[in-house]
Amino acid sequence: MPQIFSKISADNFQILVWKIEEPFAFFETFPASWSTPTIENPIKKLESIAARYCLHQLSPEFESLVLVQNDRNRPYFQNSEWHISLTHSYPYVAAACSPEKRIGIDLEKPGRNIEKIAPRFLCPAELAKWKDASNLLTLAWSAKESIYKAVGKPGLSFQKEMEIFDFNQNPCKAQISTKEEIAIYWEEFPEFSLTVALI
């Protein structure tokens, strides 16, 4: 079974990470009431369907809910208190849910010339701490993506409006410009970094 990581946290959230090894049809088992984005690229479409499959596996309660997308293509359940988030980077996909807190999930594979782009998404204090550690730069990028998803505010600046304090504990703490504190749960795998932001 290509499920590679599953977690239920003391903070009352769940995540499921999957490595895609199955054909498209395998993942088309979620409810017909769930919207699916219109995507031309076959890999992107497979990622999207597989992430929804992961979400469906997290709770039997989701079977009766209607999944739609907002104007920024973020999925959410209509008329429900559940907070959800999806992420994908082929061949990996993941889903997260929380009944109580806003949530964002992200996974990032190493690469992307992370040292070069780090000054664009890290504040000076963060850059000084992690500039020589490629894995921590990737983790920080993932954490900020998770924060962005959890906050849900278009245009939130990664560099100027988010700060991650450190990765010396799990969860670690972060903060946005409104002074809201955010818990960042993180895991590092050989093929990718995974973060979950809870507000």
Side-chain angles (χ1 to χ4, degrees):
M1 179 183 235
Q3 173 181 322
I4 58 171
F5 185 70
S6 180
K7 180 173 185 172
I8 300 175
S9 163
D11 254 351
N12 202 14
F13 73 86
Q14 297 177 63
I15 63 174
L16 176 63
V17 181
W18 196 278
K19 183 177 182 181
I20 298 172
E21 295 176 349
E22 301 81 1
F24 188 90
F26 174 87
F27 297 106
E28 289 187 295
T29 57
F30 50 80
S33 62
W34 288 23
S35 71
T36 53
T38 307
I39 302 171
E40 296 297 322
N41 182 304
I43 294 295
K44 295 291 181 193
K45 189 169 186 176
L46 177 59
E47 287 175 329
S48 181
I49 296 295
R52 280 163 170 71
Y53 173 87
C54 286
L55 179 64
H56 185 238
Q57 301 304 303
L58 291 178
S59 173
E61 188 177 327
F62 295 167
E63 185 72 27
S64 62
L65 299 179
V66 177
L67 185 75
V68 293
Q69 290 176 241
N70 66 16
D71 57 354
R72 290 174 290 120
N73 292 325
R74 300 276 185 215
Y76 68 96
F77 286 128
Q78 258 182 356
N79 306 315
S80 171
E81 296 298 314
W82 280 96
H83 301 276
I84 62 169
S85 185
L86 306 177
T87 187
H88 42 77
S89 183
Y90 190 82
Y92 301 100
V93 297
C97 66
S98 170
E100 299 165 0
K101 297 184 179 182
R102 288 180 288 160
I103 192 166
I105 189 169
D106 186 69
L107 60 83
E108 294 290 335
K109 293 190 285 194
R112 299 182 68 162
N113 205 357
I114 197 78
E115 290 83 3
K116 187 174 181 181
I117 65 169
R120 298 202 305 256
F121 69 85
L122 295 179
C123 71
E126 293 167 327
L127 189 58
K129 282 187 284 193
W130 303 320
K131 65 180 184 205
D132 298 322
S134 180
N135 68 310
L136 293 179
L137 292 176
T138 301
L139 202 57
W141 173 258
S142 180
K144 292 201 174 191
E145 285 281 356
S146 292
I147 292 168
Y148 189 82
K149 291 177 181 180
V151 172
K153 177 186 168 190
L156 187 70
S157 169
F158 282 34
Q159 183 192 47
K160 296 175 183 173
E161 296 184 84
M162 303 178 192
E163 185 174 1
I164 302 162
F165 298 123
D166 221 323
F167 290 111
N168 58 4
Q169 57 184 351
N170 196 353
C172 64
K173 292 189 187 314
Q175 186 173 285
I176 57 172
S177 52
T178 59
K179 304 301 180 191
E180 278 184 283
E181 281 207 355
I182 300 167
I184 306 289
Y185 290 81
W186 54 275
E187 299 286 342
E188 290 184 283
F189 297 88
E191 299 87 7
F192 61 90
S193 296
L194 177 76
T195 59
V196 175
L198 281 179
I199 305 175

